[in-house]
Amino acid sequence: MTSTALPPSPRTRVRRVAELASYEQASLYDILDAAYLCHIAFQDEHGNHCIPTACWRIGGHLYIHGSNGSRMLKQLLRDTGVCVTVTHLDGLVLARSAFNHTMNYRSAMVYGQFEKVSDIGQQHAAMDALMEKLAPGRLAHVRGGSAKEYAATTVLRIALDECAIKQRKGGPLDDADDMAHAVWTGELPFTHGRGAAVADALNTSEMPAYAAAWGTESA
């Protein structure tokens, strides 16, 4: 399978430790699909902001949603350029030198402008996709959104056309002069696991398969 590369723009081209950079679409999608939250950096008349929010991908777009009254969503609809980031921290890397300590991670940055999903059918499909991302199979069990709820909700999306990925894995890279220094070196991994599902105190239904399997699946 041929991987599609996204040509870097002047603002997505990684210059610092460029060997850790990637512009492959498949790598971008893997990082975004593993995330439930992204951070959106933008500017308005009150200054600079970076706000976490739920996100999910459909095809070549990243989606977010919120109340029609959301200050952030209102600003994003004013042709505001944004930077969206997602980061997964995989481990701490301990080297022989204090200044060679680092981290293993997977990160993605997306530049562009959000657009409103105005078509009601596309809005419903996008929200259904969010529910399926949260818990595959649950959409068939819950009450769907009402016309009033959808009318009070704004769904936005940003094209994944201007993006950069930076990621690191493996052990420390020690300087030759430090190799004789006797100290433990290696990685302190972070395990991204899931706990067992916990029923609500007012729950009256049997646990569905997707909830029962939650604690046995990797994040």
Side-chain angles (χ1 to χ4, degrees):
M1 180 178 177
T2 302
S3 180
T4 302
L6 302 170
S9 69
R11 59 182 175 180
T12 62
R13 184 180 297 280
V14 177
R15 294 172 174 81
R16 175 63 179 162
V17 197
E19 63 270 20
L20 300 182
S22 171
Y23 307 95
E24 296 296 323
Q25 188 180 71
S27 297
L28 172 69
Y29 287 1
D30 285 345
I31 291 171
L32 297 180
D33 290 347
Y36 291 93
L37 289 174
C38 66
H39 285 79
I40 301 177
F42 64 98
Q43 184 180 53
D44 64 12
E45 65 274 15
H46 300 293
N48 301 313
H49 313 277
C50 185
I51 297 179
T53 190
C55 66
W56 68 104
R57 183 183 66 85
I58 304 176
H61 290 84
L62 188 70
Y63 286 73
I64 64 171
H65 79 297
S67 165
N68 293 345
S70 164
R71 180 187 65 169
M72 180 179 74
L73 267 60
K74 288 181 179 179
Q75 181 63 26
L76 297 182
L77 287 173
R78 298 181 184 136
D79 293 327
T80 298
V82 302
C83 177
V84 183
T85 62
V86 166
T87 303
H88 304 285
L89 180 60
D90 296 322
L92 306 179
V93 181
L94 278 55
R96 288 173 171 81
S97 164
F99 277 77
N100 279 335
H101 283 57
T102 185
M103 299 180 185
N104 286 336
Y105 60 91
R106 293 159 289 141
S107 66
M109 297 178 67
V110 180
Y111 287 94
Q113 294 181 347
F114 277 95
E115 62 180 0
K116 183 177 181 179
V117 179
S118 298
D119 180 83
I120 190 65
Q122 292 182 6
Q123 184 194 33
H124 284 209
M127 295 301 292
D128 288 351
L130 171 60
M131 181 60 66
E132 283 300 295
K133 176 181 174 66
L134 296 177
R138 186 165 179 77
L139 182 63
H141 296 170
V142 299
R143 175 184 68 79
S146 67
K148 181 179 179 181
E149 288 169 330
Y150 274 107
T153 301
T154 298
V155 177
L156 303 182
R157 69 179 190 176
I158 187 170
L160 300 174
D161 296 333
E162 190 179 2
C163 311
I165 304 104
K166 194 173 182 182
Q167 47 194 340
R168 188 194 189 281
K169 61 181 179 180
L173 298 176
D174 285 301
D175 296 336
D177 292 344
D178 292 327
M179 294 304 294
H181 188 76
V183 65
W184 187 90
T185 60
E187 181 184 4
L188 303 179
F190 284 99
T191 301
H192 302 277
R194 298 176 175 181
V198 180
D200 179 70
L202 300 179
N203 174 68
T204 58
S205 299
E206 292 292 325
M207 183 176 292
Y210 54 79
W214 179 262
T216 64
E217 296 176 353
S218 60

